[in-house]
């Protein structure tokens, strides 16, 4: 029985030593991890502060200098108080090993050479308890307290070293002054919407150059003169809004003000009539554009519109004495051969690639100029016709093209 008890005690002792060694190794690993996290956090904090500084400088520059000019920015972090220590939170095990019974402080793990900590002989395994009267409960408290000081400020450090509490006069240093020069453009630190605008709406009158031969053929057939071959002047409204990455989604609607012409005409059976012809065309679509900022006063865009268009020609013919029909002889009006109406219509799916330039006049006002080319596809081979109440496909009618160049210029509200 005694032998068993002795063996049990030996096993427990061996297990205790092994567990203690494992605990020590785990604490070392945790300490190394904390040091790595600390170094990463310090580097991250410094980088973030530097980038915020740079962004602020760039925003100031963007309001006072021309865009697109390279600007030299100097990074200088030497204005921050610096001690030159690598520290971490103090664990209970580490405090016990150092015979420290306090309930606050951080442990110094390593000292950087040629720093204030090196100059004032701070040492690894020193417990930094206070800076002046500020107790350091953990590493976060330390960084908060340190941020209150600047290079050259003096303080009194309270340390626990080799079993006793000591005080140490200390003058904060500065991180080695390393000024780097980088080159940026003003646009590098501007958001997409700040750089190229948030979108807007404008009246965009358009000169459209389709092939008018088939239209003029109909005009001539009914005794009217040709449309001007210089093109059609169309009214238009176009708007868009920013959806990210300098892309803009929007829509447009364009129409040609209805052309109306009339003339007197005598039918084959000698009925005097008034013949009227009306012509119009319109299109609408959804647009997608991408903008590029050229300068503070100029932005360009490349995009397209996809949608639908309709072209229509209406011819109405009314007998001159049609207005003389009375209630009592209303049925005779149906016998007037001069009364008739014809409508020709052709519809297209359109695709309209284009480029545009925005010229700044005011912060909220631009002049927008655009050039593009209209492609039209019709799912009908010819024209559709409607005479009175009868609809039909016009036999032998041409597959009139809707293709043509477009040019536009007009005011643009917003940006």
């Amino acid at each position: 029985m005694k032998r068993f008890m002795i063996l049990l005690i030996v096993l427990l002792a061996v297990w205790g030593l092994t567990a203690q060694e494992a605990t020590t190794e785990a604490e070392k690993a945790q300490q190394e991890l904390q040091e790595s996290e600390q170094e990463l956090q310090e580097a991250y904090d410094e980088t973030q502060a530097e980038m915020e500084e740079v962004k602020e400088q760039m925003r100031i520059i963007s309001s006072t200098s021309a865009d697109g000019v390279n600007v030299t920015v100097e990074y200088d972090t030497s204005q921050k108080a610096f001690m030159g220590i690598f520290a971490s939170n103090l664990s209970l095990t580490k405090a016990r090993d150092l015979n420290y019974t306090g309930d606050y402080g951080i442990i110094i793990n390593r000292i950087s050479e040629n720093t204030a900590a090196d100059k004032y002989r701070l040492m690894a395994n020193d417990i930094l308890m206070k800076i002046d009267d500020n107790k350091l409960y953990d590493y976060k408290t330390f960084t908060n307290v340190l941020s209150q000081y600047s290079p050259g400020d003096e303080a009194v450090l309270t340390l626990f070293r080799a079993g006793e509490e000591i005080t140490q006069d200390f003058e904060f240093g500065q991180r080695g002054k390393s000024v780097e020069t980088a080159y940026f453009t003003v646009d590098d630190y501007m958001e997409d919407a700040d750089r190229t605008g948030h979108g807007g709406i404008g009246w965009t009158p358009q000169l459209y150059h389709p092939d008018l031969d088939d239209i003029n053929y109909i005009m001539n057939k009914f005794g009217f003169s040709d449309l001007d071959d210089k093109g059609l002047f169309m009214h238009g409204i176009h708007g868009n809004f920013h959806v990210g990455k300098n892309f803009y989604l929007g829509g447009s609607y364009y129409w040609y003000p209805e052309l109306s012409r009339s003339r007197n005409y005598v039918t084959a059976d000698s009925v005097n009539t008034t013949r009227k012809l009306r012509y119009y065309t319109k299109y609408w679509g959804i647009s997608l554009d991408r903008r590029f900022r050229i300068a503070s006063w100029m932005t360009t865009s490349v995009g397209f519109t996809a949608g639908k268009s309709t072209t229509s020609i209406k011819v109405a013919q009314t007998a001159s004495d049609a207005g003389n029909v009375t209630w009592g002889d209303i049925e005779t009006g149906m016998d007037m051969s001069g009364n008739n109406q014809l409508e020709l219509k052709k519809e297209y799916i359109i695709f309209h690639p284009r480029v545009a330039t925005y010229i700044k006049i005011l912060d909220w006002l631009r002049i927008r100029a655009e050039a593009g080319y209209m492609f039209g596809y019709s799912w009908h081979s010819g024209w559709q016709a409607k005479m009175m109440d009868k609809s039909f496909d016009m036999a032998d009618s041409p597959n009139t093209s809707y293709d043509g160049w477009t040019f536009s210029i007009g005011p643009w509200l917003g940006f």
Side-chain angles (χ1 to χ4, degrees):
M1 184 67 178
K2 289 182 179 179
R3 290 179 180 176
F4 176 75
M5 291 299 295
I6 292 172
L7 179 60
L8 181 60
I9 290 171
V10 171
L11 289 174
L12 289 173
V14 172
W15 178 82
L17 291 173
T18 305
Q20 183 176 3
E21 184 178 353
T23 302
T24 302
E25 291 298 323
E27 288 178 352
K28 287 182 179 178
Q30 183 179 7
Q31 179 177 321
E32 291 176 358
L33 179 61
Q34 287 179 342
E35 288 183 11
S36 298
E37 290 178 347
Q38 174 188 337
E39 293 178 11
L40 289 172
Q41 185 63 43
E42 286 181 352
Y44 175 78
D45 291 343
E46 290 177 9
T47 302
Q48 286 294 103
E50 292 167 7
M51 294 305 293
E52 288 302 321
E53 243 178 83
V54 172
K55 286 183 179 181
E56 184 59 29
Q57 292 177 25
M58 296 305 293
R59 291 185 186 280
I60 293 172
I61 292 169
S62 69
S63 63
T64 58
S65 70
D67 296 337
V69 177
N70 285 346
V71 179
T72 301
V73 179
E74 295 182 346
Y75 299 88
D76 183 2
T77 59
S78 61
Q79 300 307 311
K80 298 178 181 179
F82 183 66
M83 293 184 66
I85 64 173
F86 287 91
S88 61
N89 294 333
L90 179 63
S91 67
L92 291 176
T93 302
K94 192 67 175 178
R96 185 184 66 233
D97 291 344
L98 296 174
N99 298 317
Y100 178 66
T101 58
D103 60 353
Y104 61 91
I106 60 173
I107 184 71
I108 297 176
N109 301 310
R110 183 157 53 90
I111 303 298
S112 295
E113 294 181 358
N114 301 320
T115 62
D118 189 23
K119 174 183 176 182
Y120 286 95
R121 307 290 184 183
L122 300 189
M123 302 170 61
N125 288 327
D126 281 351
I127 297 175
L128 181 56
M129 301 168 62
K130 292 192 294 185
I131 300 178
D132 286 333
D133 294 327
N134 302 299
K135 291 183 178 181
L136 308 178
Y137 292 97
D138 51 27
Y139 184 78
K140 184 176 182 181
T141 307
F142 165 67
T143 57
N144 289 338
V145 171
L146 187 62
S147 66
Q148 301 171 16
Y149 294 86
S150 299
D153 287 350
E154 296 181 349
V156 176
L157 307 182
T158 302
L159 301 161
F160 183 85
R161 177 188 296 166
E164 62 177 334
E165 185 177 311
I166 63 173
T167 57
Q168 170 74 59
D169 291 333
F170 190 85
E171 181 179 333
F172 292 101
Q174 62 185 24
R175 191 178 296 276
K177 187 174 182 179
S178 176
V179 179
E180 299 178 4
T181 302
Y183 292 93
F184 302 90
T185 62
V186 172
D187 287 343
D188 287 336
Y189 287 97
M190 296 178 68
E191 298 296 330
D192 284 345
D194 294 333
R195 183 186 301 115
T196 56
H198 298 269
I201 191 169
W203 175 57
T204 52
Q206 183 180 89
L207 185 62
Y208 170 40
H209 284 271
D211 184 348
L212 295 174
D213 288 349
D214 292 340
I215 305 300
N216 286 330
Y217 172 83
I218 298 297
M219 300 284 287
N220 298 159
K221 276 288 188 179
F222 288 97
F224 297 101
S225 58
D226 291 350
L227 289 174
D228 193 340
D229 60 4
K230 293 180 180 178
L232 304 177
F233 183 78
M234 302 180 72
H235 294 289
I237 296 175
H238 178 67
N240 57 32
F241 59 92
H242 184 248
V243 293
K245 303 296 183 183
N246 297 334
F247 283 98
Y248 293 77
L249 185 65
S252 57
Y253 181 79
Y254 287 85
W255 71 98
Y256 177 68
E258 187 174 88
L259 171 72
S260 180
R261 293 179 179 176
S262 64
R263 59 184 289 263
N264 294 326
Y265 177 72
V266 180
T267 66
D269 52 355
S270 301
V271 177
N272 292 320
T273 66
T274 300
R275 178 172 286 177
K276 293 184 178 180
L277 182 144
R278 291 182 174 88
Y279 165 81
Y280 77 88
T281 186
K282 62 182 179 181
Y283 72 86
W284 59 268
I286 304 299
S287 65
L288 181 65
D289 297 89
R290 186 171 189 191
R291 290 187 186 177
F292 304 88
R293 187 181 182 118
I294 305 301
S296 60
W297 54 274
M298 177 186 293
T299 302
T300 64
S301 70
V302 177
F304 66 87
T305 298
K308 180 183 177 184
S309 81
T310 301
T311 297
S312 176
I313 302 174
K314 294 181 180 180
V315 182
Q317 189 168 288
T318 306
S320 299
D321 57 354
N324 297 328
V325 177
T326 64
W327 185 262
D329 59 359
I330 191 171
E331 75 283 359
T332 61
M334 295 297 296
D335 295 331
M336 295 181 180
S337 60
N339 298 328
N340 210 334
Q341 180 173 302
L342 171 67
E343 179 181 0
L344 298 173
K345 184 169 70 173
K346 192 166 180 61
E347 296 177 313
Y348 303 84
I349 297 296
I350 59 107
F351 180 74
H352 186 205
R354 50 200 167 64
V355 295
T357 298
Y358 300 78
I359 305 297
K360 180 179 178 180
I361 305 300
L362 300 171
D363 287 341
W364 52 271
L365 176 64
R366 263 100 176 139
I367 296 297
R368 179 179 182 274
E370 177 192 277
Y373 192 82
M374 180 76 69
F375 294 94
Y377 168 75
S378 178
W379 54 96
H380 294 287
S381 59
W383 288 73
Q384 293 176 290
K386 183 177 181 180
M387 184 171 288
M388 303 306 283
D389 62 347
K390 183 180 179 181
S391 298
F392 54 95
D393 292 333
M394 180 64 70
D396 301 325
S397 58
N399 191 21
T400 303
S401 171
Y402 201 72
D403 300 353
W405 290 99
T406 63
F407 303 93
S408 175
I409 186 169
W412 183 263
L413 304 179
F415 183 52

